[in-house]
Amino acid sequence: MKHLFTPYEMKSLSLKNRVVMPPMCQYSVTAKDGIANDWHYAHYVSRAVGGAGLIIIEMTDVEPDGRITDYDLGLWSDDHIPALARIVDAVHQHGAKIGIQIAHAGRKAEDAELPVAPSAIPFDENSKTPRALTTEEVEQMVEKFRLAVRRAVQAGVDTIEIHGAHGYLIHQFVSPLTNKRNDKYGQDRTLFGKEVIKAAKSEMPDHMPLIMRISAREYVEGGYGINESIAFAKEFKEAGVDLFHISAGGEGQIAAAGRPGTHAGYQVPLARAIREALDIPVIAVGRLDDPALANSVIGNEDADLVAVGRGMLRNPYWALEAATVLHKEIEVPRQYDRGFARG
Ligand SMILES: Cc1cc2nc3c(=O)[nH]c(=O)nc-3n(C[C@H](O)[C@H](O)[C@H](O)COP(=O)(O)O)c2cc1C
């Protein structure tokens, strides 16, 4: 029977266990011009030392105004590559695999003078009213995603995650609440996402899997639910997605905290629904930091991988501790062996 520490393989991505560190923006005030620095290095490498199988670098944006804040990471120039490559190499040395989340915040770009979006609808009464992208600008945006993916591949990542969740640009195109366009990107609300997927794939080695994060439910009046997300995820799968990372919400905020259903495992039923309907591997995420619960998600075949976000902010060694609690084999760094002795 599979469990949290059973290895996992998807195309060229070969993981020593099923524990994922999901993307988490660091809003690191020391980050300059989108370039990762020593904070990011210590942050990601320590989770590799801590036993995670896959680490997904935080939302990394395709243009400066695609960032939520000026303290977020970017991949809009080749200058961003070396700092990421340094993190990727060190994470590999500690036995973990590493991906990166490629994104654009759209109307949720707080520090942009004039944010862009599918339609000129502000996020809320305190937000700037965004400017609607022209059709040509949307086409250029696809190109920006493509170039960011090319640079991520050059930095040596093992997988790419496209951010299609939490009310950011791709989600803004998918949602009927935020996309009121009349052009081809409004007539087909998944078109932008599909073009981004195909552009990403064109830059990725043939056997590198593409992950896409989606919000499977919006939790807002007039928003879409699981039936709609199954339908659009099917289109994204056909466009080239190999694995879905199932989150929810986001028209209100970046994470689902404070939304309905933030009890343990609150998004697992959504992950299972997408997995079954589309016959595709999924990552489950959301309050799964109890090792027994995380393990049951794999054992019950609700999902193929489990991501632990806030749990890993609290404890970089979450995976080592979970394996100890669950009595599963895991390689503990020799230097830390005595800290995880089983008696
Ligand atoms: C500080 C912080 C930053 C986050 N940044 C991102 C992000 O960059 N991209 C993303 O898709 N989700 C982001 N999230 C959401 C997490 O990836 C995760 O889905 C969420 O925290 C729920 O999982 P958890 O209960 O294990 O923390 C962030 C969450 C936190 C707490």
Side-chain angles (χ1 to χ4, degrees), residues 13 15-17 19-24 40-58 87-88 90-92 94-101 157-161 211 245 312 316:
L13 181 68
L15 307 179
K16 63 182 177 186
N17 62 47
V19 178
V20 178
M21 180 191 191
M24 284 182 288
H40 303 92
Y41 181 87
H43 172 67
Y44 291 112
V45 178
S46 57
R47 272 68 189 179
V49 171
L54 174 66
I55 290 164
I56 305 177
I57 296 177
E58 65 200 83
I87 294 172
V88 168
V91 162
H92 284 161
H94 292 287
K97 296 293 162 65
I98 182 160
I100 187 165
Q101 188 182 51
V157 297
D158 303 291
T159 181
I160 299 286
E161 177 171 296
I211 305 172
H245 195 166
M312 279 204 209

Side-chain angles (χ1 to χ4, degrees), residues 11-227:
K11 295 189 165 177
S12 63
L13 181 68
S14 167
L15 307 179
K16 63 182 177 186
N17 62 47
R18 291 160 187 252
V19 178
V20 178
M21 180 191 191
M24 284 182 288
C25 281
Q26 294 298 289
Y27 309 108
S28 187
V29 288
T30 52
K32 234 179 134 351
D33 303 323
I35 297 176
N37 61 28
D38 282 352
W39 171 267
H40 303 92
Y41 181 87
H43 172 67
Y44 291 112
V45 178
S46 57
R47 272 68 189 179
V49 171
L54 174 66
I55 290 164
I56 305 177
I57 296 177
E58 65 200 83
M59 173 161 172
T60 300
D61 302 291
V62 304
E63 65 176 359
D65 281 352
R67 289 174 294 177
I68 306 172
T69 74
D70 287 349
Y71 307 120
D72 300 332
L73 298 187
L75 256 177
W76 60 83
S77 90
D78 288 354
D79 295 343
H80 295 98
I81 300 173
L84 289 173
R86 178 173 168 249
I87 294 172
V88 168
D89 285 349
V91 162
H92 284 161
Q93 277 172 36
H94 292 287
K97 296 293 162 65
I98 182 160
I100 187 165
Q101 188 182 51
I102 305 293
H104 191 298
R107 68 178 189 167
K108 286 171 82 175
E110 294 167 12
D111 291 342
E113 212 164 291
L114 180 57
V116 295
S119 303
I121 306 168
F123 174 56
D124 62 21
E125 60 282 4
N126 302 318
S127 322
K128 294 167 193 155
T129 300
R131 180 177 69 76
L133 291 159
T134 65
T135 305
E136 205 188 356
E137 284 173 330
V138 182
E139 288 162 356
Q140 288 161 0
M141 192 65 83
V142 174
E143 188 61 11
K144 289 176 190 172
F145 270 86
R146 190 176 70 75
L147 292 174
V149 169
R150 173 189 289 186
R151 295 185 186 108
V153 170
Q154 282 171 10
V157 297
D158 303 291
T159 181
I160 299 286
E161 177 171 296
I162 300 285
H163 198 346
H166 302 168
Y168 297 113
L169 191 62
I170 294 175
H171 185 172
Q172 288 162 31
F173 272 91
V174 171
S175 178
L177 300 170
T178 42
N179 183 347
K180 307 283 185 196
R181 302 174 69 92
N182 296 316
D183 68 352
K184 60 181 176 178
Y185 293 106
Q187 282 152 18
D188 177 358
R189 283 186 276 107
T190 58
L191 181 61
F192 176 59
K194 287 182 287 198
E195 288 184 352
V196 167
I197 290 162
K198 288 180 189 157
K201 278 270 163 138
S202 75
E203 295 292 340
M204 293 163 62
D206 279 352
H207 294 290
M208 182 186 283
L210 178 68
I211 305 172
M212 184 173 200
R213 196 170 228 211
I214 58 166
S215 285
R217 242 185 97 172
E218 284 187 316
Y219 293 126
V220 273
E221 191 79 18
Y224 63 72
I226 185 70
N227 292 333

